[in-house]
Amino acid sequence: MIIAIDGSAASGKGTLARKLALRLNYDYLDTGALYRAVALSLMKAGIDVNYIDENQAVKCASEMDLTLTKSPEIRTDLVASLASNIASLATVRAELLTLQRAFAAAPPSGNGAVLDGRDIGTIILPDADLKFFIDANISIRADRRTKELLRGGQSAIFRDVLAAMKIRDYRDRTRLVAPLRAAEDAISIDTSNIDADALLALALSYFETKHRVE
Ligand code: CDP
């Protein structure tokens, strides 16, 4: 079974995806990490973050260094913001599409796959078996992200995190190519008032219902 999870920044989609994969013994692909890794490799190449060379971004995506997706260096707000900028380029998205579909078609464990991102249920895997769309109030999300950054040893101020998140959300939702939106057949969940364990339990109940039906 293929599970697609889309949603806004710090909505809880990544934690849900990881926990679901662990519980079901599925493989997990954090597709946001791919965009972040491209952004980080551009930064390492010394680019001016205010001017993105599209050809260079496509080259970084095509030569994707997958080890960067595991690097803690991708977990900064600066990388997230650059990732969102390059993610609006159709050429970069096209370059990363094949890799994502290949992962879903042949998950390493041979069991199933969970992918999370912004366009998994709409563009990457429109035929996914189960789709979730996760969102929450933006102040709550910014508070979660601030705490996450602080836990990771970074300096973070709620006001700045909130401002950066508003810009990124707006860009992700309004871009022309693969904007963040719920697929028509996605189950929408607002996590403003539920914690990660409750979200997992809810998602598992949908999974079991789906499993019984098929
Ligand atoms: O963790 P958070 O939700 O804040 O961000 P992420 O999932 O790591 O994604 C970083 C950025 O990559 C997003 O703001 C999107 O612009 C972009 N992205 C995308 O366009 N499509 C995806 N499937 C995943 C991420």
PDB file of all heavy atoms in Angstrom, residues 5-8 117-123 131-135 173 179-189:
ATOM      1  N   ILE A   5       1.128  11.702   2.197  1.00  0.00           N
ATOM      2  CA  ILE A   5       0.776  12.678   3.232  1.00  0.00           C
ATOM      3  C   ILE A   5       1.263  14.067   2.802  1.00  0.00           C
ATOM      4  O   ILE A   5       2.468  14.274   2.619  1.00  0.00           O
ATOM      5  CB  ILE A   5       1.412  12.304   4.604  1.00  0.00           C
ATOM      6  CG1 ILE A   5       1.043  10.867   4.990  1.00  0.00           C
ATOM      7  CG2 ILE A   5       0.979  13.297   5.673  1.00  0.00           C
ATOM      8  CD1 ILE A   5       1.609  10.402   6.322  1.00  0.00           C
ATOM      9  N   ASP A   6       0.337  14.966   2.618  1.00  0.00           N
ATOM     10  CA  ASP A   6       0.711  16.338   2.280  1.00  0.00           C
ATOM     11  C   ASP A   6       0.262  17.266   3.393  1.00  0.00           C
ATOM     12  O   ASP A   6      -0.613  16.926   4.192  1.00  0.00           O
ATOM     13  CB  ASP A   6       0.048  16.761   0.957  1.00  0.00           C
ATOM     14  CG  ASP A   6       0.639  16.008  -0.218  1.00  0.00           C
ATOM     15  OD1 ASP A   6       1.870  16.062  -0.394  1.00  0.00           O
ATOM     16  OD2 ASP A   6      -0.130  15.342  -0.950  1.00  0.00           O
ATOM     17  N   GLY A   7       0.873  18.447   3.421  1.00  0.00           N
ATOM     18  CA  GLY A   7       0.439  19.412   4.421  1.00  0.00           C
ATOM     19  C   GLY A   7       1.385  20.576   4.549  1.00  0.00           C
ATOM     20  O   GLY A   7       2.430  20.634   3.881  1.00  0.00           O
ATOM     21  N   SER A   8       0.998  21.499   5.399  1.00  0.00           N
ATOM     22  CA  SER A   8       1.769  22.724   5.595  1.00  0.00           C
ATOM     23  C   SER A   8       2.971  22.468   6.509  1.00  0.00           C
ATOM     24  O   SER A   8       3.080  21.409   7.132  1.00  0.00           O
ATOM     25  CB  SER A   8       0.856  23.804   6.184  1.00  0.00           C
ATOM     26  OG  SER A   8       0.194  23.284   7.314  1.00  0.00           O
ATOM     27  N   GLY A 117       4.985  15.363   1.789  1.00  0.00           N
ATOM     28  CA  GLY A 117       5.451  16.551   1.073  1.00  0.00           C
ATOM     29  C   GLY A 117       4.332  17.543   0.861  1.00  0.00           C
ATOM     30  O   GLY A 117       3.524  17.791   1.767  1.00  0.00           O
ATOM     31  N   ARG A 118       4.315  18.116  -0.353  1.00  0.00           N
ATOM     32  CA  ARG A 118       3.310  19.127  -0.664  1.00  0.00           C
ATOM     33  C   ARG A 118       2.398  18.699  -1.821  1.00  0.00           C
ATOM     34  O   ARG A 118       1.275  19.167  -1.939  1.00  0.00           O
ATOM     35  CB  ARG A 118       3.990  20.457  -1.077  1.00  0.00           C
ATOM     36  CG  ARG A 118       4.894  21.083  -0.024  1.00  0.00           C
ATOM     37  CD  ARG A 118       4.076  21.582   1.143  1.00  0.00           C
ATOM     38  NE  ARG A 118       4.834  22.360   2.117  1.00  0.00           N
ATOM     39  CZ  ARG A 118       5.726  21.879   2.966  1.00  0.00           C
ATOM     40  NH1 ARG A 118       6.013  20.594   2.967  1.00  0.00           N
ATOM     41  NH2 ARG A 118       6.328  22.668   3.837  1.00  0.00           N
ATOM     42  N   ASP A 119       2.924  17.815  -2.679  1.00  0.00           N
ATOM     43  CA  ASP A 119       2.193  17.462  -3.915  1.00  0.00           C
ATOM     44  C   ASP A 119       2.160  15.956  -4.132  1.00  0.00           C
ATOM     45  O   ASP A 119       2.036  15.495  -5.254  1.00  0.00           O
ATOM     46  CB  ASP A 119       2.896  18.110  -5.124  1.00  0.00           C
ATOM     47  CG  ASP A 119       4.325  17.598  -5.297  1.00  0.00           C
ATOM     48  OD1 ASP A 119       4.893  17.076  -4.310  1.00  0.00           O
ATOM     49  OD2 ASP A 119       4.861  17.693  -6.408  1.00  0.00           O
ATOM     50  N   ILE A 120       2.269  15.185  -3.060  1.00  0.00           N
ATOM     51  CA  ILE A 120       2.353  13.733  -3.220  1.00  0.00           C
ATOM     52  C   ILE A 120       1.009  13.169  -3.705  1.00  0.00           C
ATOM     53  O   ILE A 120       0.956  12.426  -4.685  1.00  0.00           O
ATOM     54  CB  ILE A 120       2.795  13.033  -1.899  1.00  0.00           C
ATOM     55  CG1 ILE A 120       4.073  13.681  -1.342  1.00  0.00           C
ATOM     56  CG2 ILE A 120       2.991  11.533  -2.125  1.00  0.00           C
ATOM     57  CD1 ILE A 120       5.255  13.659  -2.259  1.00  0.00           C
ATOM     58  N   GLY A 121      -0.070  13.569  -3.034  1.00  0.00           N
ATOM     59  CA  GLY A 121      -1.386  13.043  -3.417  1.00  0.00           C
ATOM     60  C   GLY A 121      -1.950  13.658  -4.687  1.00  0.00           C
ATOM     61  O   GLY A 121      -2.842  13.094  -5.316  1.00  0.00           O
ATOM     62  N   THR A 122      -1.445  14.828  -5.067  1.00  0.00           N
ATOM     63  CA  THR A 122      -1.996  15.510  -6.242  1.00  0.00           C
ATOM     64  C   THR A 122      -1.203  15.225  -7.518  1.00  0.00           C
ATOM     65  O   THR A 122      -1.776  14.994  -8.570  1.00  0.00           O
ATOM     66  CB  THR A 122      -2.024  17.038  -6.011  1.00  0.00           C
ATOM     67  OG1 THR A 122      -0.721  17.452  -5.565  1.00  0.00           O
ATOM     68  CG2 THR A 122      -3.076  17.424  -5.001  1.00  0.00           C
ATOM     69  N   ILE A 123       0.134  15.263  -7.424  1.00  0.00           N
ATOM     70  CA  ILE A 123       0.961  15.169  -8.635  1.00  0.00           C
ATOM     71  C   ILE A 123       1.847  13.906  -8.680  1.00  0.00           C
ATOM     72  O   ILE A 123       1.876  13.200  -9.680  1.00  0.00           O
ATOM     73  CB  ILE A 123       1.914  16.398  -8.737  1.00  0.00           C
ATOM     74  CG1 ILE A 123       1.149  17.712  -8.599  1.00  0.00           C
ATOM     75  CG2 ILE A 123       2.772  16.323 -10.014  1.00  0.00           C
ATOM     76  CD1 ILE A 123       0.399  18.166  -9.809  1.00  0.00           C
ATOM     77  N   LYS A 131      -4.636   8.834   1.285  1.00  0.00           N
ATOM     78  CA  LYS A 131      -4.053  10.181   1.253  1.00  0.00           C
ATOM     79  C   LYS A 131      -4.515  10.986   2.468  1.00  0.00           C
ATOM     80  O   LYS A 131      -5.708  10.989   2.786  1.00  0.00           O
ATOM     81  CB  LYS A 131      -4.505  10.930   0.000  1.00  0.00           C
ATOM     82  CG  LYS A 131      -4.084  10.287  -1.305  1.00  0.00           C
ATOM     83  CD  LYS A 131      -4.604  11.099  -2.483  1.00  0.00           C
ATOM     84  CE  LYS A 131      -4.315  10.389  -3.794  1.00  0.00           C
ATOM     85  NZ  LYS A 131      -4.874  11.130  -4.942  1.00  0.00           N
ATOM     86  N   PHE A 132      -3.564  11.656   3.080  1.00  0.00           N
ATOM     87  CA  PHE A 132      -3.900  12.551   4.187  1.00  0.00           C
ATOM     88  C   PHE A 132      -3.447  13.962   3.840  1.00  0.00           C
ATOM     89  O   PHE A 132      -2.421  14.144   3.180  1.00  0.00           O
ATOM     90  CB  PHE A 132      -3.187  12.116   5.473  1.00  0.00           C
ATOM     91  CG  PHE A 132      -3.657  10.805   6.015  1.00  0.00           C
ATOM     92  CD1 PHE A 132      -2.882   9.654   5.867  1.00  0.00           C
ATOM     93  CD2 PHE A 132      -4.875  10.710   6.681  1.00  0.00           C
ATOM     94  CE1 PHE A 132      -3.315   8.432   6.366  1.00  0.00           C
ATOM     95  CE2 PHE A 132      -5.309   9.479   7.186  1.00  0.00           C
ATOM     96  CZ  PHE A 132      -4.529   8.346   7.029  1.00  0.00           C
ATOM     97  N   PHE A 133      -4.222  14.942   4.314  1.00  0.00           N
ATOM     98  CA  PHE A 133      -3.808  16.337   4.192  1.00  0.00           C
ATOM     99  C   PHE A 133      -3.814  16.927   5.599  1.00  0.00           C
ATOM    100  O   PHE A 133      -4.850  16.970   6.267  1.00  0.00           O
ATOM    101  CB  PHE A 133      -4.753  17.121   3.274  1.00  0.00           C
ATOM    102  CG  PHE A 133      -4.238  18.502   2.995  1.00  0.00           C
ATOM    103  CD1 PHE A 133      -3.274  18.706   2.013  1.00  0.00           C
ATOM    104  CD2 PHE A 133      -4.687  19.595   3.723  1.00  0.00           C
ATOM    105  CE1 PHE A 133      -2.765  19.974   1.765  1.00  0.00           C
ATOM    106  CE2 PHE A 133      -4.188  20.876   3.472  1.00  0.00           C
ATOM    107  CZ  PHE A 133      -3.233  21.059   2.493  1.00  0.00           C
ATOM    108  N   ILE A 134      -2.628  17.340   6.057  1.00  0.00           N
ATOM    109  CA  ILE A 134      -2.469  17.760   7.450  1.00  0.00           C
ATOM    110  C   ILE A 134      -2.216  19.271   7.532  1.00  0.00           C
ATOM    111  O   ILE A 134      -1.347  19.802   6.846  1.00  0.00           O
ATOM    112  CB  ILE A 134      -1.263  17.009   8.103  1.00  0.00           C
ATOM    113  CG1 ILE A 134      -1.298  15.498   7.791  1.00  0.00           C
ATOM    114  CG2 ILE A 134      -1.207  17.264   9.596  1.00  0.00           C
ATOM    115  CD1 ILE A 134      -2.441  14.745   8.397  1.00  0.00           C
ATOM    116  N   ASP A 135      -2.971  19.914   8.406  1.00  0.00           N
ATOM    117  CA  ASP A 135      -2.797  21.360   8.576  1.00  0.00           C
ATOM    118  C   ASP A 135      -3.064  21.699  10.047  1.00  0.00           C
ATOM    119  O   ASP A 135      -3.552  20.855  10.814  1.00  0.00           O
ATOM    120  CB  ASP A 135      -3.781  22.106   7.654  1.00  0.00           C
ATOM    121  CG  ASP A 135      -3.316  23.520   7.335  1.00  0.00           C
ATOM    122  OD1 ASP A 135      -2.257  23.946   7.841  1.00  0.00           O
ATOM    123  OD2 ASP A 135      -4.023  24.221   6.591  1.00  0.00           O
ATOM    124  N   ARG A 173       1.488  27.664  -1.373  1.00  0.00           N
ATOM    125  CA  ARG A 173       0.066  27.501  -1.733  1.00  0.00           C
ATOM    126  C   ARG A 173      -0.300  28.188  -3.042  1.00  0.00           C
ATOM    127  O   ARG A 173      -1.266  27.812  -3.688  1.00  0.00           O
ATOM    128  CB  ARG A 173      -0.834  28.081  -0.624  1.00  0.00           C
ATOM    129  CG  ARG A 173      -0.866  27.239   0.632  1.00  0.00           C
ATOM    130  CD  ARG A 173      -1.789  27.892   1.672  1.00  0.00           C
ATOM    131  NE  ARG A 173      -1.540  27.377   3.012  1.00  0.00           N
ATOM    132  CZ  ARG A 173      -2.118  26.285   3.503  1.00  0.00           C
ATOM    133  NH1 ARG A 173      -2.966  25.616   2.766  1.00  0.00           N
ATOM    134  NH2 ARG A 173      -1.844  25.881   4.729  1.00  0.00           N
ATOM    135  N   PRO A 179       1.113  23.425  -6.531  1.00  0.00           N
ATOM    136  CA  PRO A 179       0.883  24.151  -5.276  1.00  0.00           C
ATOM    137  C   PRO A 179       0.409  23.219  -4.159  1.00  0.00           C
ATOM    138  O   PRO A 179      -0.146  22.157  -4.447  1.00  0.00           O
ATOM    139  CB  PRO A 179      -0.210  25.159  -5.644  1.00  0.00           C
ATOM    140  CG  PRO A 179      -0.922  24.546  -6.795  1.00  0.00           C
ATOM    141  CD  PRO A 179       0.096  23.746  -7.556  1.00  0.00           C
ATOM    142  N   LEU A 180       0.638  23.657  -2.934  1.00  0.00           N
ATOM    143  CA  LEU A 180       0.154  22.886  -1.789  1.00  0.00           C
ATOM    144  C   LEU A 180      -1.365  22.969  -1.744  1.00  0.00           C
ATOM    145  O   LEU A 180      -1.933  24.053  -1.599  1.00  0.00           O
ATOM    146  CB  LEU A 180       0.734  23.470  -0.492  1.00  0.00           C
ATOM    147  CG  LEU A 180       0.110  22.950   0.805  1.00  0.00           C
ATOM    148  CD1 LEU A 180       0.371  21.460   0.979  1.00  0.00           C
ATOM    149  CD2 LEU A 180       0.634  23.717   2.004  1.00  0.00           C
ATOM    150  N   ARG A 181      -2.009  21.838  -1.920  1.00  0.00           N
ATOM    151  CA  ARG A 181      -3.467  21.761  -1.756  1.00  0.00           C
ATOM    152  C   ARG A 181      -3.840  20.310  -1.495  1.00  0.00           C
ATOM    153  O   ARG A 181      -3.062  19.395  -1.824  1.00  0.00           O
ATOM    154  CB  ARG A 181      -4.203  22.332  -2.970  1.00  0.00           C
ATOM    155  CG  ARG A 181      -3.986  21.581  -4.248  1.00  0.00           C
ATOM    156  CD  ARG A 181      -4.872  22.116  -5.376  1.00  0.00           C
ATOM    157  NE  ARG A 181      -4.610  21.367  -6.601  1.00  0.00           N
ATOM    158  CZ  ARG A 181      -5.142  20.183  -6.891  1.00  0.00           C
ATOM    159  NH1 ARG A 181      -5.981  19.602  -6.053  1.00  0.00           N
ATOM    160  NH2 ARG A 181      -4.836  19.568  -8.013  1.00  0.00           N
ATOM    161  N   ALA A 182      -5.037  20.136  -0.934  1.00  0.00           N
ATOM    162  CA  ALA A 182      -5.469  18.764  -0.639  1.00  0.00           C
ATOM    163  C   ALA A 182      -5.981  18.106  -1.915  1.00  0.00           C
ATOM    164  O   ALA A 182      -6.708  18.738  -2.687  1.00  0.00           O
ATOM    165  CB  ALA A 182      -6.576  18.807   0.404  1.00  0.00           C
ATOM    166  N   ALA A 183      -5.603  16.859  -2.121  1.00  0.00           N
ATOM    167  CA  ALA A 183      -6.177  16.101  -3.235  1.00  0.00           C
ATOM    168  C   ALA A 183      -7.660  15.903  -2.918  1.00  0.00           C
ATOM    169  O   ALA A 183      -8.053  15.874  -1.747  1.00  0.00           O
ATOM    170  CB  ALA A 183      -5.480  14.744  -3.344  1.00  0.00           C
ATOM    171  N   GLU A 184      -8.465  15.767  -3.964  1.00  0.00           N
ATOM    172  CA  GLU A 184      -9.916  15.631  -3.738  1.00  0.00           C
ATOM    173  C   GLU A 184     -10.265  14.435  -2.862  1.00  0.00           C
ATOM    174  O   GLU A 184     -11.235  14.464  -2.109  1.00  0.00           O
ATOM    175  CB  GLU A 184     -10.638  15.513  -5.078  1.00  0.00           C
ATOM    176  CG  GLU A 184     -10.999  16.879  -5.620  1.00  0.00           C
ATOM    177  CD  GLU A 184     -11.568  16.828  -7.013  1.00  0.00           C
ATOM    178  OE1 GLU A 184     -12.059  15.764  -7.424  1.00  0.00           O
ATOM    179  OE2 GLU A 184     -11.510  17.876  -7.682  1.00  0.00           O
ATOM    180  N   ASP A 185      -9.467  13.381  -2.965  1.00  0.00           N
ATOM    181  CA  ASP A 185      -9.762  12.172  -2.190  1.00  0.00           C
ATOM    182  C   ASP A 185      -8.898  12.055  -0.924  1.00  0.00           C
ATOM    183  O   ASP A 185      -8.762  10.969  -0.360  1.00  0.00           O
ATOM    184  CB  ASP A 185      -9.581  10.921  -3.078  1.00  0.00           C
ATOM    185  CG  ASP A 185      -8.237  10.897  -3.790  1.00  0.00           C
ATOM    186  OD1 ASP A 185      -7.522  11.931  -3.776  1.00  0.00           O
ATOM    187  OD2 ASP A 185      -7.886   9.846  -4.358  1.00  0.00           O
ATOM    188  N   ALA A 186      -8.340  13.187  -0.481  1.00  0.00           N
ATOM    189  CA  ALA A 186      -7.519  13.134   0.732  1.00  0.00           C
ATOM    190  C   ALA A 186      -8.379  13.290   1.983  1.00  0.00           C
ATOM    191  O   ALA A 186      -9.418  13.961   1.956  1.00  0.00           O
ATOM    192  CB  ALA A 186      -6.475  14.241   0.688  1.00  0.00           C
ATOM    193  N   ILE A 187      -7.928  12.679   3.070  1.00  0.00           N
ATOM    194  CA  ILE A 187      -8.585  12.848   4.368  1.00  0.00           C
ATOM    195  C   ILE A 187      -7.900  14.028   5.039  1.00  0.00           C
ATOM    196  O   ILE A 187      -6.674  13.985   5.273  1.00  0.00           O
ATOM    197  CB  ILE A 187      -8.408  11.571   5.228  1.00  0.00           C
ATOM    198  CG1 ILE A 187      -9.082  10.380   4.546  1.00  0.00           C
ATOM    199  CG2 ILE A 187      -8.922  11.782   6.638  1.00  0.00           C
ATOM    200  CD1 ILE A 187      -8.495   9.029   4.922  1.00  0.00           C
ATOM    201  N   SER A 188      -8.650  15.088   5.320  1.00  0.00           N
ATOM    202  CA  SER A 188      -8.048  16.287   5.921  1.00  0.00           C
ATOM    203  C   SER A 188      -8.121  16.215   7.436  1.00  0.00           C
ATOM    204  O   SER A 188      -9.177  15.912   8.001  1.00  0.00           O
ATOM    205  CB  SER A 188      -8.771  17.540   5.437  1.00  0.00           C
ATOM    206  OG  SER A 188      -8.459  17.760   4.088  1.00  0.00           O
ATOM    207  N   ILE A 189      -6.992  16.497   8.062  1.00  0.00           N
ATOM    208  CA  ILE A 189      -6.954  16.480   9.531  1.00  0.00           C
ATOM    209  C   ILE A 189      -6.289  17.765  10.025  1.00  0.00           C
ATOM    210  O   ILE A 189      -5.209  18.132   9.565  1.00  0.00           O
ATOM    211  CB  ILE A 189      -6.169  15.252  10.061  1.00  0.00           C
ATOM    212  CG1 ILE A 189      -6.773  13.950   9.527  1.00  0.00           C
ATOM    213  CG2 ILE A 189      -6.141  15.249  11.595  1.00  0.00           C
ATOM    214  CD1 ILE A 189      -5.990  12.683   9.892  1.00  0.00           C
TER     215      ILE A 189
END
